[in-house]
């Protein structure tokens, strides 16, 4: 797989970095900048926007992300995705001030794929 195959929009399902692993849904949009770096934009539960930048090697995508919380503070973290193919990404993530005993999890399905239509 190459970095040029990653850009697109994905539906995501995930669970938060806490004891209960509260589920969420959203979208992830991946794009490349002029230097072939990854730009990411998540929209979680239709209202929370998160932005990130990252890099890709050996079918592993790593993105540093940040967002403004309801308390107006900026939260930062990192997500690591294993890219099974250009349509399915499986990842885990952690925020700087999240519960260090847990990792968040996220699975992404490219819009328009059969798996995405089933979910």
């Amino acid at each position: 797989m190459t970095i040029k195959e990653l850009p697109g929009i994905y539906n995501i399902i995930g669970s938060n970095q806490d004891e209960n692993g509260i589920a969420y849904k959203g979208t992830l949009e991946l794009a490349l900048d002029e230097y072939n770096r990854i730009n990411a934009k998540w929209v979680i539960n239709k209202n929370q926007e998160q932005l990130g930048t990252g890099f890709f090697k050996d079918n592993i995508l790593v993105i540093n992300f940040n967002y403004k919380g309801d308390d107006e503070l900026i939260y930062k973290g990192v997500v690591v995705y294993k890219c099974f193919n250009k349509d399915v990404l499986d990842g885990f993530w952690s925020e700087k001030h999240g519960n260090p005993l847990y990792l968040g999890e996220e699975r992404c399905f490219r819009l328009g794929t059969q798996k995405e239509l089933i979910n």
Side-chain angles (χ1 to χ4, degrees), residues 31-72:
L32 294 178
D33 70 10
E34 64 272 16
Y35 303 105
N36 278 332
R37 293 179 296 205
I38 297 288
N39 287 321
K41 177 182 174 183
W42 292 262
V43 178
I44 306 297
N45 293 332
K46 297 182 181 178
N47 63 357
Q48 183 186 75
E49 184 176 287
Q50 301 182 6
L51 300 174
T53 58
F55 50 92
F56 177 79
K57 182 173 172 74
D58 296 332
N59 293 342
I60 302 293
L61 175 60
V62 179
I63 303 172
N64 294 298
F65 66 88
N66 66 78
Y67 65 96
K68 187 184 287 189
D70 294 335
D71 55 8
E72 298 296 314

Side-chain angles (χ1 to χ4, degrees), residues 3-46:
I3 194 168
K4 302 245 185 225
E5 294 175 283
L6 286 173
I9 300 174
Y10 299 78
N11 275 335
I12 57 173
I13 54 173
S15 59
N16 283 321
Q17 181 186 354
D18 56 29
E19 182 176 7
N20 300 320
I22 297 171
Y24 61 86
K25 292 182 179 183
T27 59
L28 167 62
E29 183 174 357
L30 297 178
L32 294 178
D33 70 10
E34 64 272 16
Y35 303 105
N36 278 332
R37 293 179 296 205
I38 297 288
N39 287 321
K41 177 182 174 183
W42 292 262
V43 178
I44 306 297
N45 293 332
K46 297 182 181 178

Side-chain angles (χ1 to χ4, degrees), residues 58-61 80-85 88-92:
D58 296 332
N59 293 342
I60 302 293
L61 175 60
V80 177
Y81 293 109
K82 182 187 301 182
C83 302
F84 290 120
N85 56 52
V88 180
L89 313 177
D90 187 51
F92 60 92

